[in-house]
Amino acid sequence: MTEEEEVVARTEKVMRIQRVFINLLDSYSSRNIGKFLSNCVVGASLEEITEEEEEEDENKSMMPEASSPRLKEGTFQVVGTLSTPPREPEPDFAVETYRAISREDLLMRLLECDIIIYNISENPQQVEEAIWAVSALNEEVSHIEKRKMFILISTVMTWARSKSLDPDDSEIPFTEEDYRRRKQHPNFLDHINAEKMVLKLGKNIKKLVTYVVAAGLQYGMEGGILHSFFKLAWLGDVPALPVFGDGMNIIPAIHVLDLAGVIQNIIDHMPKHHYLVAVDESIHTLEDLVKCISKHTGPGKIQKVPRENAFLTKDLTQESIDHLLVNLRMEALFVKENFNIRWVAQTGFVENINSILKEYKQSRGLLEAIVAPKYGGEGEEEGEEEEEEENVEDAQELLDGIKESMEQNAGRLEDQYIIRFIKEKLKSMPCRNQGYILDGFPKTYDQAKDLFNQEDEEEEEEVRGKMFPFDRVIIPEFVCALDASDEFLKDRVMNLPESFVAGTHYSQDRFLRALSNYRDINTEDETVFNYFDELEIHPIHIDVGKLEDAQNRLATTRLIKEIGKPRNYGLTDEEKVEEERRAAEEHIAKEAMQEAEREHKEAMEMAEKIARWEEWVSGCVRMLVSLRVRAHVPASVGRGAAKPLGPIALPVLLIENCHRHTPNKSCLFVWSYVPFSKKTPIVFCLVINNDD
């Protein structure tokens, strides 16, 4: 059989495999693997990746495409379980999802699938279920028609205490060939037992093929274990990011989408090796990872703290801390030599920080910003010391220039210094992470141009071509123009409280002068807004004069609608619990208030009824005293009646009989029914004879 025929045969063989089960599809790792596979055509990794495709992959976003509810032709059908209680929204890429399903029903779902993937790299509680699943499938193997594949995604922590291959050379990495010599971290005994069980049950059984993948620390997309460092840096609440211990321990790692690529290749290739290592090519220490995050997202500094301090970080679980403190050299030799993977971060976290940071912000819904130049790597500390010395000299020179400028301009600072300070602030990490609002500056077209212009002329041509060059790092995403007539502005200033106006430019003389100056320097053709129009950042114009809203609430509402939802971190799990508790308390209080209002209303209605009854009785008594009245009770009411007549029938019969007994008399009938009790209704019938 030729090589081409062999590829065709293998392709036909894998094309039958379509339905994939993955546990906990709403967890970080499984969700990204499932989403990746849902966009992969079965057998696609059997084809060699061309240079053109590699270039396309580099230019294309790493974010997996959102799968539509309808299946794409030839792609994997992904099904799986979800967490209980729910942690994340249900994945939209899955064909089916199961929550709180019994073992019996779960086995039926597993038997419907061609590939079963159990991910135990994140959740230790899933180890027992994974062992049960592969054991149950093994028992059903005699009833299985098509061959099934079971893939266990484990962790390199099952290698954490392995002895060095060469006592004299600790830098020799472990590979897949050394898996029989691996020794697990004490906290991962269940994981290595699960690995052994999966490999054992897959031997000599043609209808059940099993694989184990030892994955490194997973990063990328929402961040994984490194999310806590990203968040700490992004919030800017600490002067330096913590490094636990000396930080010199080497951490095997892999981008979560590259791990998904390894899984795709296992499904397509069905390799002879059943134990695989999934790590990238980097040899990064904990210090390297934290320093890189700090420089590109946070304060730019790190601080080494005792290892025990890791347990004080609430976002880190015991398993996460173990991964961060492991010291292990590993190489995915088989994966690198035999698989066709469209690598996202083959060279590792540090070298790909720009793209990793971009996808992290996209996944977390944070403000996207242009990231800084690449991380410097070795020799950076010496460079930082030299840079600090240069900064001191530059700062002194700048201070002297400021003093001279203010002396020559009657205490006012020239635009060049204002623009320099604002530009440096806009390039700071807090502004790049959380965004900024510029109010009152720039005031003119030229100021805007000088503030946002691109300083690197060579980069200008590459980035913008013929369009007017600007600095993409600091350029605003939205520009808002609050428009109003001079008369409106004058009236508003005139109505401001004196306490608010005192000491500001809102005093009558200063305001009128500032308004006139603003109109003079912002002509129709050269305004700040013209500058942004030229850059195709079209301002949002809101005429506040027509809104008639002194507090600008309507203008704020419209701005929020235009800008969209806040792009920051959502509530933490603790904050969500607190929010739910507060909502429950408010609901209970609201129900109690409604019940009290209902009881009060009923009490008022009863009091009103009693008052009306007392008023009616007193009126009747007065009528009986003042008029000659005879109480007429028809004989038919009491005669032969075993029970009192009903409350509705009785007054009707009374009136009817009154008509019979006084047919020729002109009478006025006054009657009323008062339900003092259900057993004894009282009916008054007053017959007033007008002829008497």
Side-chain angles (χ1 to χ4, degrees):
M1 182 181 292
T2 65
E3 186 177 346
E4 291 183 0
E5 290 175 343
E6 186 179 349
V7 170
V8 171
R10 284 192 300 172
T11 304
E12 291 177 351
K13 182 167 56 177
V14 299
M15 282 300 288
R16 296 194 300 268
I17 301 175
Q18 294 207 358
R19 198 170 178 89
V20 181
F21 172 90
I22 306 177
N23 66 312
L24 297 189
L25 278 176
D26 52 351
S27 64
Y28 160 71
S29 178
S30 294
R31 178 176 58 252
N32 283 295
I33 293 172
K35 195 168 187 177
F36 179 90
L37 292 177
S38 69
N39 286 288
C40 291
V41 175
V42 178
S45 68
L46 295 175
E47 301 175 2
E48 294 291 337
I49 303 173
T50 63
E51 294 182 2
E52 291 82 0
E53 289 176 325
E54 287 183 354
E55 291 178 2
E56 288 179 6
D57 291 340
E58 289 177 1
N59 297 329
K60 190 172 61 176
S61 171
M62 291 187 296
M63 295 283 288
E65 296 177 6
S67 300
S68 61
R70 294 184 179 180
L71 294 174
K72 294 181 179 179
E73 185 177 355
T75 58
F76 293 102
Q77 301 177 21
V78 177
V79 302
T81 55
L82 300 175
S83 303
T84 304
R87 294 188 301 181
E88 298 288 342
E90 293 190 10
D92 57 357
F93 58 83
V95 179
E96 293 179 6
T97 55
Y98 322 113
R99 195 190 302 276
I101 189 174
S102 66
R103 288 284 172 90
E104 183 179 356
D105 291 338
L106 180 56
L107 178 58
M108 296 299 293
R109 299 293 182 268
L110 295 179
L111 291 172
E112 294 172 356
C113 298
D114 301 291
I115 304 127
I116 296 92
I117 300 173
Y118 258 88
N119 192 339
I120 62 173
S121 63
E122 286 187 291
N123 194 333
Q125 286 73 33
Q126 289 291 294
V127 175
E128 187 273 332
E129 186 176 301
I131 294 174
W132 164 83
V134 70
S135 302
L137 290 171
N138 181 66
E139 293 175 2
E140 296 288 332
V141 72
S142 59
H143 307 295
I144 297 175
E145 296 181 1
K146 295 181 181 180
R147 179 165 57 181
K148 298 194 180 299
M149 179 184 294
F150 188 97
I151 302 175
L152 182 74
I153 302 177
S154 186
T155 166
V156 294
M157 294 306 297
T158 57
W159 295 67
R161 298 296 171 89
S162 302
K163 292 183 179 180
S164 177
L165 297 174
D166 185 351
D168 298 329
D169 188 0
S170 60
E171 294 185 1
I172 298 177
F174 292 102
T175 66
E176 297 90 345
E177 299 291 344
D178 307 311
Y179 80 94
R180 291 182 180 87
R181 305 178 57 177
R182 70 192 187 285
K183 298 294 181 183
Q184 83 284 352
H185 186 283
N187 293 336
F188 290 81
L189 177 61
D190 291 339
H191 288 71
I192 197 169
N193 288 337
E195 292 181 4
K196 293 176 179 178
M197 175 66 73
V198 170
L199 293 174
K200 177 183 177 182
L201 294 180
K203 288 182 177 180
N204 304 320
I205 300 179
K206 293 183 178 180
K207 289 188 177 181
L208 180 64
V209 57
T210 60
Y211 293 94
V212 173
V213 180
L217 181 147
Q218 297 171 48
Y219 60 84
M221 304 308 291
E222 297 91 347
I225 293 175
L226 297 179
H227 161 63
S228 60
F229 292 98
F230 275 115
K231 185 175 182 180
L232 192 62
W234 190 90
L235 292 174
D237 294 335
V238 294
L241 293 191
V243 174
F244 308 121
D246 61 8
M248 301 309 295
N249 55 299
I250 296 172
I251 304 175
I254 188 169
H255 194 288
V256 67
L257 297 186
D258 291 332
L259 174 59
V262 172
I263 302 301
Q264 178 199 10
N265 275 261
I266 292 174
I267 297 172
D268 289 346
H269 289 258
M270 289 183 285
K272 294 181 180 179
H273 283 71
H274 292 267
Y275 194 101
L276 303 173
V277 173
V279 296
D280 57 35
E281 296 179 355
S282 66
I283 306 177
H284 292 326
T285 64
L286 175 60
E287 181 179 352
D288 292 334
L289 299 177
V290 178
K291 183 182 289 186
C292 180
I293 294 172
S294 180
K295 181 173 183 179
H296 290 84
T297 316
K301 297 181 179 180
I302 60 172
Q303 180 181 7
K304 295 185 178 181
V305 298
R307 294 163 65 98
E308 293 75 16
N309 285 25
F311 297 97
L312 302 177
T313 307
K314 61 180 181 180
D315 291 337
L316 293 178
T317 63
Q318 177 65 60
E319 291 74 23
S320 300
I321 295 172
D322 292 337
H323 276 88
L324 291 172
L325 298 180
V326 71
N327 186 22
L328 189 64
R329 286 177 179 264
M330 300 197 75
E331 183 179 3
L333 195 60
F334 182 87
V335 168
K336 185 167 60 174
E337 293 179 352
N338 297 276
F339 284 174
N340 297 323
I341 299 176
R342 299 175 184 271
W343 288 93
V344 174
Q346 185 174 6
T347 53
F349 180 88
V350 172
E351 285 74 9
N352 295 278
I353 184 60
N354 288 356
S355 55
I356 291 170
L357 185 56
K358 180 179 180 180
E359 67 182 10
Y360 173 79
K361 291 186 175 182
Q362 289 178 348
S363 301
R364 289 283 175 179
L366 302 177
L367 181 68
E368 294 181 41
I370 306 300
V371 291
K374 283 192 174 182
Y375 176 78
E378 295 181 2
E380 185 179 352
E381 291 184 5
E382 296 179 3
E384 287 179 354
E385 292 178 1
E386 294 177 1
E387 186 177 348
E388 287 182 3
E389 294 178 0
E390 292 178 0
N391 287 341
V392 173
E393 296 177 0
D394 292 342
Q396 185 60 50
E397 184 179 345
L398 175 62
L399 183 60
D400 295 338
I402 291 172
K403 290 180 179 179
E404 183 179 351
S405 173
M406 295 184 70
E407 290 174 357
Q408 295 175 357
N409 293 277
R412 295 180 63 85
L413 199 57
E414 292 180 85
D415 281 355
Q416 60 170 323
Y417 292 107
I418 297 175
I419 289 170
R420 177 174 177 175
F421 297 148
I422 294 179
K423 183 174 288 192
E424 288 180 0
K425 184 62 179 178
L426 296 183
K427 288 185 177 182
S428 67
M429 280 301 170
C431 287
R432 287 163 59 181
N433 288 338
Q434 284 91 12
Y436 63 84
I437 297 176
L438 273 180
D439 181 23
F441 193 90
K443 298 179 179 180
T444 67
Y445 182 98
D446 290 335
Q447 287 177 343
K449 182 179 176 181
D450 292 339
L451 178 60
F452 297 110
N453 73 329
Q454 178 60 262
E455 296 176 351
D456 189 344
E457 294 182 0
E458 293 182 2
E459 189 174 345
E460 287 177 15
E461 297 299 325
E462 295 178 4
V463 174
R464 303 307 301 175
K466 295 181 180 180
M467 185 178 287
F468 196 82
F470 62 89
D471 193 336
R472 293 185 300 159
V473 175
I474 62 174
I475 198 72
E477 185 177 0
F478 300 97
V479 176
C480 175
L482 299 180
D483 300 322
S485 64
D486 289 359
E487 290 72 18
F488 176 86
L489 295 174
K490 292 174 185 177
D491 291 341
R492 173 166 285 196
V493 171
M494 289 294 292
N495 292 325
L496 290 175
E498 185 64 30
S499 57
F500 181 84
V501 173
T504 69
H505 63 275
Y506 288 118
S507 61
Q508 184 174 355
D509 294 340
R510 294 184 64 186
F511 173 76
L512 292 176
R513 186 167 58 250
L515 180 60
S516 176
N517 183 52
Y518 176 81
R519 298 300 188 198
D520 291 340
I521 61 178
N522 284 276
T523 61
E524 185 175 350
D525 296 329
E526 281 200 358
T527 68
V528 176
F529 306 117
N530 292 139
Y531 171 77
F532 292 109
D533 269 326
E534 292 173 6
L535 300 181
E536 297 183 357
I537 305 173
H538 304 297
I540 304 167
H541 287 273
I542 301 176
D543 193 340
V544 295
K546 295 180 179 179
L547 297 178
E548 297 181 358
D549 178 17
Q551 301 300 321
N552 290 324
R553 285 185 291 265
L554 297 176
T556 303
T557 302
R558 183 180 166 187
L559 271 177
I560 293 173
K561 184 179 179 180
E562 293 280 353
I563 295 172
K565 296 180 180 179
R567 281 171 280 180
N568 52 26
Y569 287 102
L571 299 176
T572 63
D573 292 339
E574 293 79 6
E575 290 170 339
K576 288 178 181 177
V577 171
E578 179 64 22
E579 190 72 19
E580 291 173 358
R581 183 191 64 78
R582 190 183 303 111
E585 289 179 353
E586 291 176 356
H587 180 69
I588 293 172
K590 185 178 180 180
E591 285 188 339
M593 184 180 298
Q594 291 175 346
E595 181 66 22
E597 290 178 357
R598 186 164 51 251
E599 291 178 356
H600 177 71
K601 184 177 180 180
E602 290 176 355
M604 293 294 291
E605 290 177 353
M606 182 58 69
E608 188 177 347
K609 287 179 180 179
I610 294 173
R612 285 202 303 267
W613 161 244
E614 292 177 348
E615 182 181 355
W616 187 87
V617 171
S618 62
C620 289
V621 171
R622 288 195 299 272
M623 289 176 65
L624 288 170
V625 172
S626 61
L627 301 171
R628 291 184 300 159
V629 177
R630 62 188 180 87
H632 179 77
V633 180
S636 61
V637 175
R639 188 169 55 245
K643 296 181 180 179
L645 292 174
I648 297 176
L650 187 57
V652 175
L653 287 174
L654 281 171
I655 296 171
E656 216 174 71
N657 280 282
C658 288
H659 276 291
R660 287 186 193 143
H661 286 276
T662 57
N664 300 319
K665 302 249 185 197
S666 177
C667 300
L668 175 65
F669 299 96
V670 181
W671 62 275
S672 180
Y673 162 68
V674 181
F676 271 98
S677 70
K678 292 182 179 180
K679 293 182 178 180
T680 314
I682 297 177
V683 178
F684 287 95
C685 182
L686 303 180
V687 183
I688 304 172
N689 192 338
N690 292 338
D691 295 338
D692 294 339

